[in-house]
Amino acid sequence: MRSDLFATENTAQPAERPGMTLQNAKSIKYAVSGECYARQGAMIAYRGSLQFEVKGQGVGKFLKRALTGEGLPLMSVRGQGEAWFAHEAANCFVIDLDQGDALTINGRNVLVFDPSLSYEIRTIKGAGMVGGGLFNSVFTGQGRLGIICEGNPIIIPVTPQAPVYVDTDAVVGWTAALQTSLHRSQSFGSMLRGGSGEAVQLALQGEGFVIVRPSEATPQQSGAH
């Protein structure tokens, strides 16, 4: 049987070491030797002896998720084997975090991560209870984090001299040390005339970067995570 379908780049190879690697632009492979955490429902294939279980997040994280609609609906993957993760053919990226790093990521963009990483659901300062992706997860520790982005991400540097303003539905993540607030770019008169559709943005100030997707998020149905 012959076809370009069977090209080497499309064929899964045995893992050379435990942990996370890109299978291709749309999926991540994790060679599990113990445990990892992943987005619920993101596993597309596996081989070996693995178990998939809903991961409890503690009362505090559960209440924040119930209140905000954000957070991480996670599963633990335990055992020995290889698992492949993806979500709706979104682009996948692997981020290496070192001790002292802190990265804020929107829960909808998290795919899989090492158990050595810690995360905490936080309210974006200055956001109040406005919603729109304003409750994100802060990752710290040393390890690898796999994220997804619908389309090619835009990485925008943030400096004290040049703050950045992003649509709350388009933001994927940012350096956790940045200061955040809400910014209104639309005048009251414009709002009375029907508005531009760009009334409020997330303002990021300080030194770091922000990750933006090239489109606004698709509205989720009520109760979906």
Side-chain angles (χ1 to χ4, degrees), residues 184-201:
R184 290 191 177 275
S185 60
Q186 187 173 192
S187 67
F188 182 70
S190 177
M191 293 175 65
L192 290 179
R193 291 191 294 272
S196 65
E198 305 293 345
V200 179
Q201 296 83 41

Side-chain angles (χ1 to χ4, degrees), residues 95-139:
I95 301 173
D96 286 282
L97 295 178
D98 295 321
Q99 287 293 345
D101 291 341
L103 184 65
T104 297
I105 293 290
N106 196 309
R108 66 183 175 232
N109 295 100
V110 174
L111 187 65
V112 59
F113 59 95
D114 289 340
S116 57
L117 295 179
S118 300
Y119 79 94
E120 179 183 357
I121 299 173
R122 293 183 187 174
T123 305
I124 297 175
K125 292 181 180 179
M129 293 299 295
V130 177
L134 299 182
F135 297 83
N136 284 20
S137 298
V138 179
F139 283 85

Side-chain angles (χ1 to χ4, degrees), residues 4-124:
D4 292 343
L5 171 67
F6 306 117
T8 301
E9 59 267 26
N10 294 336
T11 304
Q13 304 296 329
E16 296 181 358
R17 63 184 67 85
M20 182 189 315
T21 55
L22 277 178
Q23 174 65 43
N24 55 39
K26 306 293 184 180
S27 65
I28 287 175
K29 180 172 76 171
Y30 201 110
V32 184
S33 180
E35 185 178 32
C36 72
Y37 301 134
R39 177 194 190 112
Q40 289 180 20
M43 185 274 292
I44 57 172
Y46 79 94
R47 60 187 176 191
S49 180
L50 297 176
Q51 292 183 327
F52 302 83
E53 298 179 355
V54 173
K55 181 182 183 302
Q57 301 182 54
V59 175
K61 290 177 181 175
F62 174 80
L63 290 176
K64 286 183 179 179
R65 182 183 164 203
L67 179 66
T68 66
E70 287 291 329
L72 299 179
L74 293 175
M75 62 181 178
S76 63
V77 185
R78 296 190 182 98
Q80 301 287 326
E82 296 171 309
W84 286 263
F85 301 96
H87 181 69
E88 297 181 353
N91 291 331
C92 295
F93 301 90
V94 175
I95 301 173
D96 286 282
L97 295 178
D98 295 321
Q99 287 293 345
D101 291 341
L103 184 65
T104 297
I105 293 290
N106 196 309
R108 66 183 175 232
N109 295 100
V110 174
L111 187 65
V112 59
F113 59 95
D114 289 340
S116 57
L117 295 179
S118 300
Y119 79 94
E120 179 183 357
I121 299 173
R122 293 183 187 174
T123 305
I124 297 175

Side-chain angles (χ1 to χ4, degrees), residues 10 41 147 153 168 179:
N10 294 336
I147 69 169
T168 58
Q179 293 83 50

Side-chain angles (χ1 to χ4, degrees), residues 198-210:
E198 305 293 345
V200 179
Q201 296 83 41
L202 178 68
L204 298 138
Q205 297 176 301
E207 192 78 39
F209 62 85
V210 58

